Amino acid sequence: MNYPERFSNLPEYAFPRLRALLDHHQPGGDIVHMTIGEPKHDFPPWVTDVIMENAAGFQGYPPNEGSPELRAAIADWVNRRYGVSMGADTNVMALNGTREGLYNAAMALCPEQKNGQQPIILCPNPFYQVYMVASISVGAQPYFVSATAATDHLPDYTSLPEEVMNRTAVAYICSPANPQGAVASRDYWAELIQLAEKYDFRIFADECYSEIYRDTAPVGALTVAQELGADPERVTLFNSLSKRSNLAGLRSGLIAGGPETIKQVKLLRSYAGAPLPAPLQAAAAKVWADEVHVQENRALYQEKYAIADEVFAGVQGYMPPEAGFFLWLPVENGEETALKLWQETGVRVLPGAYLSQGDPGQNPGEQFIRVAMVAPKTEMKRGLITLRDCIYS
Ligand SMILES: Cc1ncc(COP(=O)(O)O)c(C=O)c1O
C-alpha cells in the first residue's frame, strides 16, 4: 500500500509524543495536568437544557452553513466584538470548531500557484499545528517564522525577503498567541494588512483566545482591516466557543470574512463539510448571544494571571501572558524539564519543541515548556508552586 509522500515527515502529534515521553515513568507526586488547552471552568448550565429541548433535531441532517439563528448570533457577536458589519447570510458561516475551519479554509482558498510558483503559507513558529498540515495538504510550502522575545513573541512577517513575499498566498497568525500569550497590537495588524495588500495574500486570523485577557480586549484583525479600508477579502477571522465559553466539546466555531471568501468556503463545505448537529447549533446560538458567562469566566482567568505573576515574581525570563491561558516558561531543555517535573513532582507540562519546528539549536520552542492554567484555581496554584520549586530554585 502506498501512502502520500507529503505527510511522510509529519512528526507524531504533540500529545501522543508527550505520552511516549512520560508514560513509562512513574509520577513523582499527585498528578497536576497542565498540558492540554482544554478549559475546565464551568460552561453555562442552561446549555444542557437547550440541547435537550432541541433533541428532536438529531433526526435530521443539520444545515451545512449553520442555521439562520446560529448565523445571526455569530454575525451579531462578530459585529459587537469587532465593530464591523458582517451579514449573517453573506459574511459568516458556522464551523465545527476553528481547527477544521483553519484547515478547510486553506483547502478552499489557497491557490495552486502564486506568481507562477509553488505558494508559501506563512506560519508563526511556535504555532498551532493545524497550520502546518493544512499547508502541506494543499501543496503549499509552510514557511515558519520565529516568534521569539526578539520580535515580541509574534512573527515579523514584514522582515521576509521579497522572493518569499512574492510566493506568499496565505499568512496564519494567532492573536492572542498560543503558546506565548502575546497580543497583536493595532500597529502590528496594520503593518501586516498593508503587507498583505502589497503582496496580495490572505490573512487567516486565529483569534480563538480573544476573550481571555487581563484588562483590555485584544484588537481584532477585522477591525483594523476595516479602519484601513483594506480589501474585504483580505482578512478571514476564526473564533470559537471552546475557550470563550468552556465548550471545547460543543465544537462551535465561526469563520467571518469577505463575501467571496465565505462563498468559496461554503461551496467546498457543501461537498465535504461536517456540520454541527442541529441541537448543538441551537445551543451555540444562545451561547454566542450571552456575554455574562464570558465576563465571569474572564474574571477567573484574571485571578489565575495574578497567581502566576506572584508565583513567578523574580524568576528570570518569566513573561506575564497578556492574554490566553498559557505560560511559556524558559528552561534549558523543554523535554528534559517536562520529564524531570513529571518524575519528581507529578506536574505534567508540554515541551515547547512539540509546538515548533526547526533543527536542534534552531528550534525556537526547545528551551521552553508550555503550562496550561486550566485546572481549578487551588490545584493550578499548587501545580505552579511545585513547578517553580522544582525547576527554578
Ligand atoms: C491557537 C488555537 N487555534 C485553534 C484551536 C482550535 O480550537 P477549536 O477547534 O476548539 O475552536 C486551538 C485549540 O487549542 C488553539 O490553541
Side-chain angles (χ1 to χ4, degrees):
M1 192 73 79
N2 292 326
Y3 292 96
E5 186 65 28
R6 63 188 182 280
F7 299 126
S8 56
N9 291 324
L10 268 190
E12 191 74 77
Y13 200 62
F15 297 106
R17 242 174 125 182
L18 184 71
R19 287 195 287 275
L21 177 73
L22 302 186
D23 283 1
H24 53 282
H25 300 280
Q26 287 300 313
D30 290 344
I31 298 175
V32 186
H33 289 282
M34 308 192 98
T35 53
I36 191 164
E38 184 180 73
K40 299 286 184 218
H41 301 160
D42 293 337
F43 59 79
W46 42 262
V47 168
T48 319
D49 298 335
V50 184
I51 295 172
M52 296 302 284
E53 282 156 23
N54 289 276
F58 280 122
Q59 194 171 29
Y61 283 111
N64 239 322
E65 305 170 1
S67 65
E69 295 76 24
L70 177 54
R71 278 185 288 108
I74 286 175
D76 281 353
W77 183 79
V78 173
N79 294 342
R80 202 164 70 235
R81 173 63 175 80
Y82 296 107
V84 292
S85 43
M86 296 280 145
D89 294 333
T90 44
N91 299 93
V92 303
M93 181 175 180
L95 298 176
N96 207 312
T98 50
R99 185 167 75 165
E100 65 88 4
L102 289 159
Y103 183 85
N104 284 311
M107 282 284 170
L109 299 167
C110 183
E112 283 82 8
Q113 294 209 325
K114 177 74 189 287
N115 290 327
Q117 290 178 281
Q118 182 196 22
I120 278 178
I121 296 189
L122 301 180
C123 302
N125 194 17
F127 60 100
Y128 186 56
Q129 302 286 289
V130 78
Y131 309 158
M132 171 175 71
V133 91
S135 310
I136 297 170
S137 297
V138 300
Q141 177 193 341
Y143 190 94
F144 298 103
V145 181
S146 291
T148 62
T151 58
D152 292 333
H153 294 286
L154 292 166
D156 182 6
Y157 293 149
T158 63
S159 66
L160 300 176
E162 188 82 11
E163 59 269 25
V164 170
M165 297 322 305
N166 285 333
R167 285 177 53 203
T168 297
V170 174
Y172 282 106
I173 179 84
C174 184
S175 170
N178 168 9
Q180 307 95 321
V183 170
S185 65
R186 188 171 244 99
D187 286 351
Y188 181 94
W189 282 126
E191 275 191 49
L192 178 58
I193 292 164
Q194 278 152 358
L195 191 72
E197 295 266 285
K198 179 170 175 198
Y199 290 100
D200 192 22
F201 62 87
R202 289 174 181 276
I203 297 169
F204 285 176
D206 178 358
E207 299 189 24
C208 69
Y209 293 92
S210 65
E211 304 316 288
I212 300 172
Y213 53 83
R214 287 182 185 249
D215 37 44
T216 312
V219 65
L222 283 180
T223 310
V224 182
Q226 177 176 272
E227 285 169 6
L228 293 174
D231 182 335
E233 310 297 333
R234 190 62 61 204
V235 169
T236 310
L237 168 75
F238 300 83
N239 213 316
S240 80
L241 297 179
S242 300
K243 324 289 177 184
R244 171 188 182 266
S245 305
N246 303 311
L247 282 165
L250 187 72
R251 308 307 304 136
S252 173
L254 70 81
I255 180 169
E260 293 307 318
T261 299
I262 299 301
K263 203 164 130 190
Q264 195 65 27
V265 177
K266 281 182 181 171
L267 174 69
L268 184 84
R269 292 177 62 97
S270 62
Y271 287 91
L276 209 59
L280 306 191
Q281 294 200 21
K286 296 256 181 323
V287 181
W288 283 111
D290 183 67
E291 289 297 336
V292 175
H293 75 277
V294 183
Q295 284 152 11
E296 290 167 358
N297 189 37
R298 183 154 55 240
L300 295 177
Y301 283 112
Q302 286 165 344
E303 288 177 36
K304 289 181 169 179
Y305 295 141
I307 291 170
D309 292 350
E310 190 191 313
V311 170
F312 293 102
V315 168
Q316 218 192 341
Y318 168 65
M319 291 182 294
E322 284 178 77
F325 50 56
F326 295 114
L327 301 178
W328 186 236
L329 298 175
V331 293
E332 237 164 65
N333 178 301
E335 257 192 342
E336 285 170 18
T337 302
L339 184 56
K340 172 182 157 81
L341 259 176
W342 175 245
Q343 287 183 294
E344 293 183 11
T345 73
V347 173
R348 213 170 158 93
V349 300
L350 196 66
Y354 293 7
L355 302 167
S356 53
Q357 281 284 313
D359 293 334
Q362 307 290 319
N363 184 325
E366 73 195 353
Q367 293 190 310
F368 287 88
I369 52 172
R370 191 190 76 174
V371 179
M373 296 194 290
V374 290
K377 200 169 63 180
T378 41
E379 187 186 342
M380 185 213 81
K381 184 170 182 178
R382 179 167 59 82
L384 293 189
I385 292 173
T386 308
L387 182 156
R388 180 201 59 199
D389 293 348
C390 177
I391 62 177
Y392 293 118
S393 59

